[in-house]
Amino acid sequence: MYENSRLIIDSSNIPDAGSITWRSPSNIAIVKYWGKYGIQLPRNPSLSLTLTASCTDTQLEYTLKEGNLDGKIDLDFFFHEEENEPFKIKIVAFLESLLPVYPFLKQLKLTIRSGNSFPHSAGIASSASAMSALALCLCSLEDTLFGTLKESAVFDQKASYLARLGSGSACRSIFPYAAAWGETSQWKGSSNEFAIPMENHLHDTFKDLHDDILIVSRAEKTVSSRAGHALMEGNPFAAPRYEQARARFSTLLDAMRVGDLEVFGKIAEDEALTLHALMMSSNPSFTLLRPASLSIIEKVRQYRADTGNQVYFTLDAGPNVHLLYPGDIVHEVRAFIEEQLEEHCEDGFVLQDWVGEGPEEI
Ligand code: DP6
């Protein structure tokens, strides 16, 4: 939808070198995206909270080359100050796939330096923060060179679109507090191509939510999200799953509008367990949950029953458990984590995060 062969550098009055840096956060899905088709299009609408502490800083440096439009992407890539060949190969493939949208990329020598706020081996997916940070840098670059993305809503939509092409969930990280991705009759302007902001449809309760991430294992996932999505194609539960996700999405929208934390929490937990049930019922089946993940889930349920405190769990495509709870009980919940949950975490590692205002240019 954004293909544009006119985005070619042909004027001498643009800066021939420059640098752009964005910090972009990770996000945690409440209704999950699991299953895709075509070029990174989701089988069902998803909705996520935008985090703060788990983020990626990406700096994009560019220098104008002597116009060689048949050339290839010319990139140096550094991750945490070191050249990283596997990441570089992925980024080059991504940038090459963007050439119909951004033909000018062939006219530049690019250097990208990227780094995550969380330890590299924290067992936390970084594709959402990394791809959204890169997409934002590219949109800033377009605007610097051509002045075509002055309006912030237009800028954000394009950044979300580009981020999606890098990693589906990344398209939701562009927006503050919460974002929804995927076409639904309930939301005018919703799309499979990019996410939309939820800020104006959100009760304040959800702007003050914590997400403490209990790191059960730092090990890299045995099955990638990409492979997991692909396995949904043969999953016997796929069709009813997509229906279920639509129904939950609709209920969640209402709950988040009126501030119903209980309905929100129930959906978050049901979605987490459904996601992992889908993995277990894939062919071949795979299991990313660890015994410690289940111990934590049991304790959270018990804690909620004992105290009435609104603490809910969710899971990503991995064994780590996210605890979602409102800001006014932070001290009690942190004590609970310390006393009862840290023992299930690798080296007692807990990453404290919270819902935040989204990416910033730095
Ligand atoms: C379980 O966005 O990582 O986190 O599009 O292949 O890069 P790709 O997949 P990815 O999948 C995320 C799946 C999830 C749920 C979610 O974030 O909605």
Side-chain angles (χ1 to χ4, degrees):
M1 66 185 273
Y2 282 110
E3 292 185 11
N4 188 348
S5 55
R6 281 171 303 154
L7 290 184
I8 289 290
I9 301 165
D10 63 358
S11 113
S12 53
N13 58 356
I14 56 148
D16 59 5
S19 167
I20 292 153
T21 306
W22 276 88
R23 168 169 297 168
S24 189
S26 186
N27 68 74
I28 179 70
I30 305 305
V31 171
K32 310 289 183 185
Y33 146 60
W34 198 243
K36 61 178 166 181
Y37 69 97
I39 301 178
Q40 295 282 95
L41 298 166
R43 290 283 187 192
N44 63 263
S46 59
L47 192 153
S48 62
L49 299 172
T50 303
L51 299 178
T52 310
S54 316
C55 61
T56 300
D57 285 356
T58 296
Q59 181 196 45
L60 173 66
E61 277 173 15
Y62 65 93
T63 314
L64 201 53
K65 294 199 298 186
E66 284 304 303
N68 171 15
L69 283 185
D70 299 326
K72 290 205 171 343
I73 296 290
D74 184 351
L75 174 72
D76 285 335
F77 181 82
F78 298 86
F79 183 66
H80 288 270
E81 315 293 335
E82 282 177 23
E83 282 192 84
N84 185 311
E85 199 53 28
F87 283 179
K88 176 179 164 172
I89 291 169
K90 279 190 195 169
I91 302 292
V92 168
F94 172 60
L95 296 176
E96 271 168 2
S97 78
L98 294 186
L99 284 172
V101 179
Y102 282 158
F104 65 85
L105 289 176
K106 285 185 293 196
Q107 298 174 282
L108 302 172
K109 157 90 199 145
L110 300 169
T111 304
I112 296 176
R113 294 171 214 279
S114 196
N116 296 333
S117 60
F118 42 91
H120 179 39
S121 57
I124 297 192
S126 56
S127 70
S129 55
M131 295 316 295
S132 55
L134 178 55
L136 287 157
C137 287
L138 291 170
C139 286
S140 288
L141 177 59
E142 174 188 335
D143 196 47
T144 305
L145 298 178
F146 304 101
T148 36
L149 294 175
K150 290 278 170 262
E151 207 183 304
S152 74
V154 176
F155 182 101
D156 288 351
Q157 180 171 310
K158 187 152 186 182
S160 181
Y161 170 89
L162 297 178
R164 186 202 101 227
L165 295 174
S167 176
S169 55
C171 73
R172 298 181 310 231
S173 277
I174 302 296
F175 301 99
Y177 306 115
W181 170 39
E183 222 168 276
T184 155
S185 55
Q186 278 158 305
W187 204 299
K188 217 170 149 267
S190 61
S191 171
N192 283 347
E193 306 263 0
F194 47 81
I196 50 175
M198 291 273 301
E199 184 178 2
N200 296 332
H201 307 271
L202 211 59
H203 191 276
D204 279 350
T205 308
F206 298 101
K207 294 182 181 171
D208 183 29
L209 224 50
H210 284 261
D211 177 6
D212 287 346
I213 311 168
L214 307 170
I215 307 298
V216 164
S217 168
R218 293 171 144 117
E220 218 162 276
K221 284 186 285 190
T222 46
V223 179
S224 70
S225 286
R226 193 153 294 221
H229 286 291
L231 285 172
M232 280 301 282
E233 290 311 300
N235 191 305
F237 301 107
R241 155 62 192 163
Y242 301 137
E243 280 311 305
Q244 174 192 59
R246 280 181 192 282
R248 285 177 175 166
F249 180 88
S250 156
T251 311
L252 183 65
L253 277 186
D254 293 340
M256 291 183 77
R257 202 172 286 137
V258 301
D260 192 333
L261 201 51
E262 204 172 319
V263 169
F264 166 90
K266 167 93 174 96
I267 292 177
E269 296 192 346
D270 288 350
E271 275 289 291
L273 295 175
T274 300
L275 172 69
H276 285 265
L278 289 166
M279 296 173 188
M280 292 184 213
S281 56
S282 291
N283 187 11
S285 163
F286 62 107
T287 320
L288 298 182
L289 286 181
R290 309 302 316 143
S293 320
L294 295 174
S295 301
I296 291 171
I297 288 171
E298 288 303 321
K299 284 187 175 174
V300 171
R301 286 175 167 159
Q302 191 60 51
Y303 175 78
R304 204 162 56 224
D306 291 346
T307 62
N309 280 347
Q310 290 189 295
V311 184
Y312 301 97
F313 66 83
T314 188
L315 301 155
D316 238 328
N320 303 325
V321 184
H322 292 241
L323 284 200
L324 300 166
Y325 60 90
D328 59 351
I329 53 170
V330 61
H331 297 298
E332 287 159 82
V333 176
R334 292 267 163 84
F336 162 56
I337 291 173
E338 223 170 278
E339 282 158 25
Q340 293 197 47
L341 304 182
E342 268 179 20
E343 65 191 77
H344 301 293
C345 300
E346 193 170 333
D347 303 325
F349 188 40
V350 177
L351 217 152
Q352 297 176 346
D353 214 330
W354 57 95
V355 170
E357 291 174 13
E360 53 175 334
E361 192 169 6
I362 51 179

